[in-house]
Amino acid sequence: MRPILQMQFEGGQFLIDSRTVEKGREGGETEQCYWSTPDGVSASFGHGAAGVCLFLLYLYLATGKDEYLKVGRQGIAWILEQGRLNADGGLTWVARNRTPSYTPYWRWGSSGIGRVLLRYWRVTGDGLYGERINDIHIDCDRKYTIFPGYFFGLAGIVEFYMDLARFPEWEEKAMESAKKLLAGSLLFQIERSGGLAFPGESLNRISCDFGTGGAGIALVMNRYLTRCGSSFMVDELVPGWARCDSPRTIAGLGAFSTLVHADGS
C-alpha cells in the first residue's frame, strides 16, 4: 500500500493540474481558479472550491510547498468573487451554478466557506479575508432555518462560530450567535424515553446519524459546552491553532439549561 501522505500529494497535484484558471471580473492580473464536476461548479465546502482549497492549505502546511498555497489562494479569490450580498448585507453564495439557491449551511453555503476562509486568514494574515468573514457572519447569524442538522442545518453553522470564538476579536459575538443557533436546533427536539432525538433528512423521521440527525447536533453541543475543538479537521497543522478552542469550559448542565431557555434575541 502506498504511504498515505504520498497519496495526498498525488491528489494535490491532480487538483493543481485539473483546475480552470481565469482572470478576475475586474480585469486585473490576479489569477483565479475553480474546479468543475459533472454536476456543475460550486464554491461550497462540501461539493466545491472551498473544500479543495482547505485540502491544499493543509498540504502546504504539511510540506511547505508554496504551490499548494498559491493555487489555494487562487481558489479563494474565485470563491470571493462569486459571493453576493443578501438583503441584510451578508455575504452568501449559490449552492452551485445549476442550483441557484442561497444558503448559510455547512455543506453548500456561507458557513462552510467561512470556516475555510478563517484558516486562510490565520495562515496568511490577509486583512481582506477578515473583512469577508465579518460579512459572512451577517448571513449566518440566525436562529431559524428549515433543518436542525450538521450538513444542511443549524448545527453545522455553529461550527463556523466555534472556530471564530477562538479569536478575541470575534469571541463574544461568535458565542452569542452559536447560542442562538443551538437554541434554534432545540426547537426540533423530540423527547423520548431514552433522551432527546432529532428529525433527519426532510424532517420525516428520527435520525441518529452525523450529517442530518442527532449525532451531529450532539457533537456540536458538546463543543459549545466544553470548547473542546473541531472534529474531522487537521488544524494541528495551522500555526498557533491549539487542539482545544479555549482552556476555559462551561459548566455543562447549567449551560445546557441556558440553551434550552434561550430566546435567541
Side-chain angles (χ1 to χ4, degrees):
M1 181 180 294
R2 289 176 295 167
I4 291 176
L5 273 179
Q6 181 59 37
M7 296 172 66
Q8 309 311 308
F9 301 153
E10 292 172 5
Q13 191 59 52
F14 171 80
L15 292 169
I16 290 171
D17 295 340
S18 63
R19 76 195 192 277
T20 299
V21 180
E22 62 182 22
K23 300 293 186 182
R25 289 199 190 103
E26 302 302 322
E29 294 301 317
T30 302
E31 288 187 337
Q32 303 178 359
C33 71
Y34 62 90
W35 290 265
S36 300
T37 74
D39 295 323
V41 176
S42 174
S44 67
F45 192 152
H47 298 268
V52 175
C53 291
L54 181 62
F55 177 64
L56 292 173
L57 180 65
Y58 285 149
L59 279 180
Y60 162 71
L61 294 170
T63 66
K65 186 176 178 181
D66 290 337
E67 187 175 19
Y68 293 132
L69 181 61
K70 176 184 174 182
V71 174
R73 296 193 73 177
Q74 288 176 358
I76 292 293
W78 180 84
I79 290 168
L80 293 179
E81 194 163 276
Q82 308 314 303
R84 296 291 180 269
L85 296 180
N86 64 20
D88 299 318
L91 190 60
T92 188
W93 283 263
V94 295
R96 59 186 169 197
N97 60 341
R98 299 182 185 178
T99 310
S101 58
Y102 294 86
T103 82
Y105 301 132
W106 174 92
R107 180 177 177 182
W108 289 106
S110 50
S111 62
I113 292 170
R115 298 190 74 193
V116 177
L117 196 59
L118 181 66
R119 286 155 175 81
Y120 270 86
W121 170 81
R122 178 64 176 177
V123 170
T124 68
D126 192 323
L128 175 64
Y129 298 164
E131 293 173 12
R132 295 299 172 264
I133 287 166
N134 288 327
D135 296 335
I136 289 170
H137 158 67
I138 298 171
D139 189 45
C140 293
D141 183 30
R142 60 187 71 222
K143 180 179 180 180
Y144 304 106
T145 71
I146 56 176
F147 298 117
Y150 192 103
F151 285 176
F152 203 72
L154 290 157
I157 305 174
V158 176
E159 288 273 58
F160 165 61
Y161 281 113
M162 296 310 300
D163 287 345
L164 274 186
R166 301 174 70 94
F167 302 99
E169 56 265 57
W170 286 304
E171 182 176 18
E172 182 177 356
K173 72 178 181 181
M175 291 302 290
E176 283 300 313
S177 294
K179 178 180 176 180
K180 182 190 303 183
L181 286 153
L182 287 172
S185 289
L186 286 169
L187 296 174
F188 293 85
Q189 66 182 296
I190 302 167
E191 294 190 14
R192 307 286 285 184
S193 59
L196 296 181
F198 290 88
E201 192 76 23
S202 301
L203 307 181
N204 60 4
R205 62 178 180 175
I206 288 174
S207 172
C208 297
D209 72 32
F210 171 74
T212 68
I217 296 169
L219 186 70
V220 172
M221 287 182 176
N222 181 67
R223 185 180 182 190
Y224 174 84
L225 294 172
T226 67
R227 306 294 292 274
C228 62
S230 179
S231 301
F232 311 118
M233 305 291 266
V234 197
D235 291 331
E236 58 267 27
L237 295 173
V238 179
W241 195 291
R243 177 67 188 88
C244 293
D245 294 329
S246 169
R248 291 171 292 155
T249 60
I250 300 172
L253 290 177
F256 186 80
S257 177
T258 65
L259 281 180
V260 173
H261 297 99
D263 62 9
S265 59

